[in-house]
Amino acid sequence: MSEAIFGYKIIPSRFGDLALVWREEESGPKVIRLDLPSRAMRQEERVGESFAQREMDHLSEQIRRYLGGEAIYLPVEYLASNCCSEFQWRVLMAERTIPRGYVCSYSQLAAMSGQPKASRAVANALARNPFPLIVPCHRTVRSDGQLGGYGGGLAMKRDLLEMEGVAFDHQGRVRPEFFWYGNE
């Protein structure tokens, strides 16, 4: 059995540097995580200690364009699904069905994932999402329209939603007309 080869690419954005980390497999590179900006350390320090730098130009360019405001659908075939439990993968794939410019609630996403009483487990699965932006977990909010949580911080979550066309009321909640219900 050969030793696994890993690579990473730093993606500059208006939010700070992101790090795209992948593993080389026979079928091609598979993303194992996308690190959002961290104030605690520079991304090169975070990933540079463990991985030799290599290129994954196409996907990183797509992410850069997405963060620039383009309506890009980021491909799932690059993701290493074995980085997630079966439940988490199901949640993440349900999350990907939420269209750009819309949100759904944690309880709606739980129902879409086949576990209607598991909204807390869904929130935990999203909190551990190793592929933010590729799997746009910022599109799930609380049922009252409040943002909930986000690994990149609430300001980044709101900025991403606004960039996608979601509007907020005067209390900072997502307006009801931007909720997507999946079956409509």
Side-chain angles (χ1 to χ4, degrees):
M1 185 169 165
S2 63
E3 187 174 315
I5 299 173
F6 295 91
Y8 80 96
K9 182 164 182 74
I10 302 300
I11 306 169
S13 81
R14 64 186 171 115
F15 300 107
D17 289 343
L18 290 82
L20 179 66
V21 183
W22 68 89
R23 176 178 58 231
E24 300 280 342
E25 295 184 0
E26 274 187 43
S27 61
K30 296 293 181 189
V31 175
I32 58 174
R33 71 178 194 260
L34 177 59
D35 290 338
L36 296 175
S38 170
R39 295 172 210 245
M41 66 179 87
R42 293 176 17 150
Q43 292 294 352
E44 292 94 338
E45 295 167 353
R46 174 186 269 179
V47 297
E49 295 171 2
S50 304
F51 306 110
Q53 181 160 6
R54 296 169 56 91
E55 297 294 323
M56 194 173 186
D57 289 333
H58 177 70
L59 182 57
S60 58
E61 175 62 16
Q62 294 289 85
I63 293 167
R64 188 194 63 74
R65 289 174 53 201
Y66 169 79
L67 289 171
E70 288 187 48
I72 301 287
Y73 186 77
L74 298 168
V76 71
E77 64 266 12
Y78 291 115
L79 304 182
S81 61
N82 60 357
C83 290
C84 305
S85 69
E86 183 180 324
F87 173 76
Q88 184 183 27
W89 186 251
R90 197 167 57 244
V91 168
L92 296 180
M93 292 305 97
E95 178 77 26
R96 284 181 54 86
T97 66
I98 304 167
R100 178 184 177 92
Y102 291 92
V103 299
C104 82
S105 70
Y106 293 102
S107 58
Q108 289 170 297
L109 188 58
M112 290 166 49
S113 302
Q115 300 288 324
K117 296 185 186 280
S119 57
R120 185 166 296 205
V122 162
N124 288 332
L126 293 178
R128 293 187 320 273
N129 176 10
F131 319 113
L133 305 178
I134 300 169
V135 175
C137 56
H138 61 275
R139 293 182 187 158
T140 299
V141 299
R142 293 175 36 174
S143 58
D144 64 359
Q146 291 184 31
L147 291 178
Y150 189 64
L154 295 182
M156 183 178 186
K157 185 172 185 172
R158 183 176 173 137
D159 282 352
L160 290 169
L161 290 172
E162 288 178 333
M163 177 185 75
E164 293 181 349
V166 174
F168 294 80
D169 67 16
H170 66 282
Q171 294 177 322
R173 296 178 177 170
V174 174
R175 292 187 4 208
E177 64 266 28
F178 292 95
F179 272 80
W180 181 75
Y181 294 96
N183 297 331
E184 298 178 351

mmCIF file of all heavy atoms in Angstrom, residues 120-150:
data_model
loop_
_atom_site.group_PDB
_atom_site.id
_atom_site.type_symbol
_atom_site.label_atom_id
_atom_site.label_comp_id
_atom_site.label_asym_id
_atom_site.label_seq_id
_atom_site.Cartn_x
_atom_site.Cartn_y
_atom_site.Cartn_z
ATOM 1 N N ARG A 120 -31.218 19.157 15.946
ATOM 2 C CA ARG A 120 -29.963 19.418 16.682
ATOM 3 C C ARG A 120 -28.807 18.629 16.078
ATOM 4 O O ARG A 120 -27.701 19.152 15.909
ATOM 5 C CB ARG A 120 -30.122 19.075 18.163
ATOM 6 C CG ARG A 120 -28.870 19.446 18.965
ATOM 7 C CD ARG A 120 -29.143 19.416 20.415
ATOM 8 N NE ARG A 120 -30.143 20.448 20.700
ATOM 9 C CZ ARG A 120 -30.305 21.031 21.850
ATOM 10 N NH1 ARG A 120 -29.551 20.687 22.851
ATOM 11 N NH2 ARG A 120 -31.212 21.941 22.034
ATOM 12 N N ALA A 121 -29.059 17.382 15.706
ATOM 13 C CA ALA A 121 -28.019 16.566 15.052
ATOM 14 C C ALA A 121 -27.641 17.159 13.693
ATOM 15 O O ALA A 121 -26.465 17.136 13.302
ATOM 16 C CB ALA A 121 -28.491 15.117 14.893
ATOM 17 N N VAL A 122 -28.620 17.715 12.985
ATOM 18 C CA VAL A 122 -28.351 18.379 11.709
ATOM 19 C C VAL A 122 -27.460 19.595 11.941
ATOM 20 O O VAL A 122 -26.490 19.814 11.211
ATOM 21 C CB VAL A 122 -29.672 18.766 11.006
ATOM 22 C CG1 VAL A 122 -29.448 19.811 9.933
ATOM 23 C CG2 VAL A 122 -30.326 17.528 10.419
ATOM 24 N N ALA A 123 -27.773 20.390 12.955
ATOM 25 C CA ALA A 123 -26.946 21.564 13.274
ATOM 26 C C ALA A 123 -25.516 21.134 13.597
ATOM 27 O O ALA A 123 -24.553 21.776 13.149
ATOM 28 C CB ALA A 123 -27.552 22.342 14.433
ATOM 29 N N ASN A 124 -25.356 20.049 14.332
ATOM 30 C CA ASN A 124 -24.018 19.542 14.650
ATOM 31 C C ASN A 124 -23.297 19.046 13.402
ATOM 32 O O ASN A 124 -22.093 19.254 13.250
ATOM 33 C CB ASN A 124 -24.098 18.433 15.701
ATOM 34 C CG ASN A 124 -24.454 18.964 17.066
ATOM 35 O OD1 ASN A 124 -24.161 20.111 17.393
ATOM 36 N ND2 ASN A 124 -25.099 18.137 17.878
ATOM 37 N N ALA A 125 -24.022 18.379 12.508
ATOM 38 C CA ALA A 125 -23.419 17.902 11.258
ATOM 39 C C ALA A 125 -22.930 19.081 10.419
ATOM 40 O O ALA A 125 -21.845 19.026 9.827
ATOM 41 C CB ALA A 125 -24.424 17.056 10.477
ATOM 42 N N LEU A 126 -23.712 20.158 10.381
ATOM 43 C CA LEU A 126 -23.297 21.344 9.632
ATOM 44 C C LEU A 126 -22.125 22.046 10.312
ATOM 45 O O LEU A 126 -21.237 22.565 9.637
ATOM 46 C CB LEU A 126 -24.466 22.308 9.461
ATOM 47 C CG LEU A 126 -25.614 21.821 8.584
ATOM 48 C CD1 LEU A 126 -26.729 22.867 8.547
ATOM 49 C CD2 LEU A 126 -25.152 21.466 7.189
ATOM 50 N N ALA A 127 -22.126 22.063 11.631
ATOM 51 C CA ALA A 127 -21.023 22.700 12.362
ATOM 52 C C ALA A 127 -19.697 22.003 12.086
ATOM 53 O O ALA A 127 -18.641 22.635 12.125
ATOM 54 C CB ALA A 127 -21.316 22.698 13.858
ATOM 55 N N ARG A 128 -19.746 20.715 11.784
ATOM 56 C CA ARG A 128 -18.534 19.941 11.482
ATOM 57 C C ARG A 128 -18.330 19.762 9.976
ATOM 58 O O ARG A 128 -17.533 18.933 9.552
ATOM 59 C CB ARG A 128 -18.607 18.582 12.156
ATOM 60 C CG ARG A 128 -18.561 18.637 13.671
ATOM 61 C CD ARG A 128 -18.471 17.263 14.325
ATOM 62 N NE ARG A 128 -19.292 16.241 13.702
ATOM 63 C CZ ARG A 128 -20.570 15.983 13.978
ATOM 64 N NH1 ARG A 128 -21.195 16.709 14.884
ATOM 65 N NH2 ARG A 128 -21.224 15.021 13.361
ATOM 66 N N ASN A 129 -19.038 20.525 9.169
ATOM 67 C CA ASN A 129 -18.926 20.427 7.714
ATOM 68 C C ASN A 129 -17.474 20.665 7.283
ATOM 69 O O ASN A 129 -16.971 21.775 7.432
ATOM 70 C CB ASN A 129 -19.850 21.468 7.056
ATOM 71 C CG ASN A 129 -19.731 21.508 5.556
ATOM 72 O OD1 ASN A 129 -19.102 20.670 4.926
ATOM 73 N ND2 ASN A 129 -20.355 22.513 4.962
ATOM 74 N N PRO A 130 -16.813 19.646 6.736
ATOM 75 C CA PRO A 130 -15.439 19.858 6.303
ATOM 76 C C PRO A 130 -15.338 20.582 4.957
ATOM 77 O O PRO A 130 -14.234 20.905 4.523
ATOM 78 C CB PRO A 130 -14.874 18.434 6.198
ATOM 79 C CG PRO A 130 -16.059 17.568 5.957
ATOM 80 C CD PRO A 130 -17.224 18.246 6.617
ATOM 81 N N PHE A 131 -16.466 20.832 4.300
ATOM 82 C CA PHE A 131 -16.473 21.401 2.953
ATOM 83 C C PHE A 131 -17.309 22.682 2.848
ATOM 84 O O PHE A 131 -18.148 22.806 1.960
ATOM 85 C CB PHE A 131 -17.026 20.377 1.952
ATOM 86 C CG PHE A 131 -16.557 18.973 2.151
ATOM 87 C CD1 PHE A 131 -17.448 17.987 2.548
ATOM 88 C CD2 PHE A 131 -15.232 18.616 1.936
ATOM 89 C CE1 PHE A 131 -17.024 16.680 2.720
ATOM 90 C CE2 PHE A 131 -14.804 17.311 2.109
ATOM 91 C CZ PHE A 131 -15.689 16.334 2.504
ATOM 92 N N PRO A 132 -17.152 23.657 3.773
ATOM 93 C CA PRO A 132 -17.984 24.855 3.659
ATOM 94 C C PRO A 132 -17.771 25.516 2.304
ATOM 95 O O PRO A 132 -16.720 25.359 1.691
ATOM 96 C CB PRO A 132 -17.501 25.744 4.807
ATOM 97 C CG PRO A 132 -16.128 25.258 5.112
ATOM 98 C CD PRO A 132 -16.122 23.797 4.789
ATOM 99 N N LEU A 133 -18.766 26.206 1.835
ATOM 100 C CA LEU A 133 -18.854 26.847 0.533
ATOM 101 C C LEU A 133 -19.150 25.818 -0.556
ATOM 102 O O LEU A 133 -20.074 25.999 -1.332
ATOM 103 C CB LEU A 133 -17.615 27.662 0.168
ATOM 104 C CG LEU A 133 -17.200 28.735 1.174
ATOM 105 C CD1 LEU A 133 -15.937 29.437 0.714
ATOM 106 C CD2 LEU A 133 -18.307 29.723 1.416
ATOM 107 N N ILE A 134 -18.387 24.729 -0.636
ATOM 108 C CA ILE A 134 -18.700 23.675 -1.602
ATOM 109 C C ILE A 134 -20.041 23.061 -1.217
ATOM 110 O O ILE A 134 -20.896 22.823 -2.062
ATOM 111 C CB ILE A 134 -17.585 22.609 -1.652
ATOM 112 C CG1 ILE A 134 -16.253 23.243 -2.061
ATOM 113 C CG2 ILE A 134 -17.968 21.489 -2.624
ATOM 114 C CD1 ILE A 134 -15.046 22.347 -1.885
ATOM 115 N N VAL A 135 -20.211 22.798 0.068
ATOM 116 C CA VAL A 135 -21.518 22.453 0.629
ATOM 117 C C VAL A 135 -21.929 23.689 1.418
ATOM 118 O O VAL A 135 -21.413 23.942 2.498
ATOM 119 C CB VAL A 135 -21.447 21.208 1.539
ATOM 120 C CG1 VAL A 135 -22.797 20.954 2.191
ATOM 121 C CG2 VAL A 135 -20.972 19.987 0.759
ATOM 122 N N PRO A 136 -22.834 24.498 0.867
ATOM 123 C CA PRO A 136 -23.107 25.841 1.405
ATOM 124 C C PRO A 136 -23.932 25.830 2.686
ATOM 125 O O PRO A 136 -25.102 26.214 2.712
ATOM 126 C CB PRO A 136 -23.865 26.515 0.250
ATOM 127 C CG PRO A 136 -24.549 25.384 -0.442
ATOM 128 C CD PRO A 136 -23.615 24.202 -0.336
ATOM 129 N N CYS A 137 -23.294 25.417 3.780
ATOM 130 C CA CYS A 137 -23.998 25.295 5.054
ATOM 131 C C CYS A 137 -24.450 26.649 5.599
ATOM 132 O O CYS A 137 -25.272 26.696 6.512
ATOM 133 C CB CYS A 137 -23.160 24.541 6.076
ATOM 134 S SG CYS A 137 -21.540 25.249 6.367
ATOM 135 N N HIS A 138 -23.981 27.737 5.012
ATOM 136 C CA HIS A 138 -24.465 29.066 5.427
ATOM 137 C C HIS A 138 -25.921 29.273 5.034
ATOM 138 O O HIS A 138 -26.559 30.190 5.532
ATOM 139 C CB HIS A 138 -23.580 30.165 4.828
ATOM 140 C CG HIS A 138 -23.551 30.193 3.335
ATOM 141 N ND1 HIS A 138 -22.697 29.394 2.606
ATOM 142 C CD2 HIS A 138 -24.276 30.902 2.444
ATOM 143 C CE1 HIS A 138 -22.890 29.627 1.320
ATOM 144 N NE2 HIS A 138 -23.850 30.543 1.194
ATOM 145 N N ARG A 139 -26.483 28.397 4.200
ATOM 146 C CA ARG A 139 -27.876 28.546 3.756
ATOM 147 C C ARG A 139 -28.891 27.956 4.731
ATOM 148 O O ARG A 139 -30.083 27.959 4.442
ATOM 149 C CB ARG A 139 -28.051 27.908 2.379
ATOM 150 C CG ARG A 139 -27.295 28.641 1.289
ATOM 151 C CD ARG A 139 -27.508 28.038 -0.070
ATOM 152 N NE ARG A 139 -26.634 28.683 -1.037
ATOM 153 C CZ ARG A 139 -26.274 28.140 -2.184
ATOM 154 N NH1 ARG A 139 -26.738 26.954 -2.525
ATOM 155 N NH2 ARG A 139 -25.464 28.785 -2.997
ATOM 156 N N THR A 140 -28.455 27.472 5.872
ATOM 157 C CA THR A 140 -29.383 26.970 6.880
ATOM 158 C C THR A 140 -29.359 27.913 8.076
ATOM 159 O O THR A 140 -28.289 28.273 8.573
ATOM 160 C CB THR A 140 -29.031 25.533 7.293
ATOM 161 O OG1 THR A 140 -29.130 24.701 6.143
ATOM 162 C CG2 THR A 140 -29.980 25.010 8.350
ATOM 163 N N VAL A 141 -30.553 28.313 8.509
ATOM 164 C CA VAL A 141 -30.706 29.277 9.594
ATOM 165 C C VAL A 141 -31.748 28.754 10.580
ATOM 166 O O VAL A 141 -32.391 27.736 10.335
ATOM 167 C CB VAL A 141 -31.125 30.669 9.057
ATOM 168 C CG1 VAL A 141 -30.067 31.225 8.110
ATOM 169 C CG2 VAL A 141 -32.482 30.620 8.380
ATOM 170 N N ARG A 142 -31.917 29.469 11.665
ATOM 171 C CA ARG A 142 -32.952 29.093 12.636
ATOM 172 C C ARG A 142 -34.335 29.331 12.037
ATOM 173 O O ARG A 142 -34.495 30.142 11.128
ATOM 174 C CB ARG A 142 -32.760 29.883 13.919
ATOM 175 C CG ARG A 142 -31.472 29.480 14.647
ATOM 176 C CD ARG A 142 -31.161 30.295 15.855
ATOM 177 N NE ARG A 142 -32.342 30.693 16.605
ATOM 178 C CZ ARG A 142 -32.310 31.316 17.757
ATOM 179 N NH1 ARG A 142 -31.165 31.618 18.309
ATOM 180 N NH2 ARG A 142 -33.413 31.648 18.378
ATOM 181 N N SER A 143 -35.332 28.648 12.556
ATOM 182 C CA SER A 143 -36.689 28.752 12.003
ATOM 183 C C SER A 143 -37.283 30.152 12.150
ATOM 184 O O SER A 143 -38.164 30.530 11.387
ATOM 185 C CB SER A 143 -37.614 27.714 12.632
ATOM 186 O OG SER A 143 -37.653 27.882 14.030
ATOM 187 N N ASP A 144 -36.759 30.956 13.087
ATOM 188 C CA ASP A 144 -37.252 32.327 13.234
ATOM 189 C C ASP A 144 -36.495 33.312 12.341
ATOM 190 O O ASP A 144 -36.705 34.517 12.419
ATOM 191 C CB ASP A 144 -37.190 32.773 14.694
ATOM 192 C CG ASP A 144 -35.777 32.851 15.246
ATOM 193 O OD1 ASP A 144 -34.793 32.546 14.520
ATOM 194 O OD2 ASP A 144 -35.638 33.216 16.430
ATOM 195 N N GLY A 145 -35.607 32.796 11.492
ATOM 196 C CA GLY A 145 -34.864 33.643 10.570
ATOM 197 C C GLY A 145 -33.539 34.146 11.095
ATOM 198 O O GLY A 145 -32.767 34.748 10.343
ATOM 199 N N GLN A 146 -33.248 33.908 12.389
ATOM 200 C CA GLN A 146 -31.941 34.291 12.917
ATOM 201 C C GLN A 146 -30.881 33.376 12.313
ATOM 202 O O GLN A 146 -31.155 32.224 11.955
ATOM 203 C CB GLN A 146 -31.926 34.196 14.438
ATOM 204 C CG GLN A 146 -32.790 35.242 15.095
ATOM 205 C CD GLN A 146 -32.679 35.179 16.615
ATOM 206 O OE1 GLN A 146 -31.647 34.822 17.163
ATOM 207 N NE2 GLN A 146 -33.756 35.539 17.281
ATOM 208 N N LEU A 147 -29.669 33.879 12.227
ATOM 209 C CA LEU A 147 -28.628 33.155 11.511
ATOM 210 C C LEU A 147 -28.226 31.827 12.127
ATOM 211 O O LEU A 147 -27.881 30.905 11.411
ATOM 212 C CB LEU A 147 -27.393 34.045 11.344
ATOM 213 C CG LEU A 147 -27.572 35.219 10.397
ATOM 214 C CD1 LEU A 147 -26.312 36.061 10.347
ATOM 215 C CD2 LEU A 147 -27.967 34.747 9.016
ATOM 216 N N GLY A 148 -28.242 31.696 13.440
ATOM 217 C CA GLY A 148 -27.712 30.472 14.049
ATOM 218 C C GLY A 148 -26.206 30.612 14.158
ATOM 219 O O GLY A 148 -25.707 31.668 14.494
ATOM 220 N N GLY A 149 -25.472 29.574 13.826
ATOM 221 C CA GLY A 149 -24.017 29.628 13.908
ATOM 222 C C GLY A 149 -23.369 29.484 12.546
ATOM 223 O O GLY A 149 -24.020 29.186 11.557
ATOM 224 N N TYR A 150 -22.029 29.702 12.514
ATOM 225 C CA TYR A 150 -21.257 29.496 11.285
ATOM 226 C C TYR A 150 -19.783 29.503 11.645
ATOM 227 O O TYR A 150 -19.335 30.365 12.408
ATOM 228 C CB TYR A 150 -21.566 30.593 10.255
ATOM 229 C CG TYR A 150 -20.964 30.301 8.902
ATOM 230 C CD1 TYR A 150 -21.368 29.199 8.161
ATOM 231 C CD2 TYR A 150 -19.970 31.113 8.373
ATOM 232 C CE1 TYR A 150 -20.814 28.926 6.928
ATOM 233 C CE2 TYR A 150 -19.422 30.851 7.135
ATOM 234 C CZ TYR A 150 -19.849 29.752 6.413
ATOM 235 O OH TYR A 150 -19.301 29.467 5.194
#
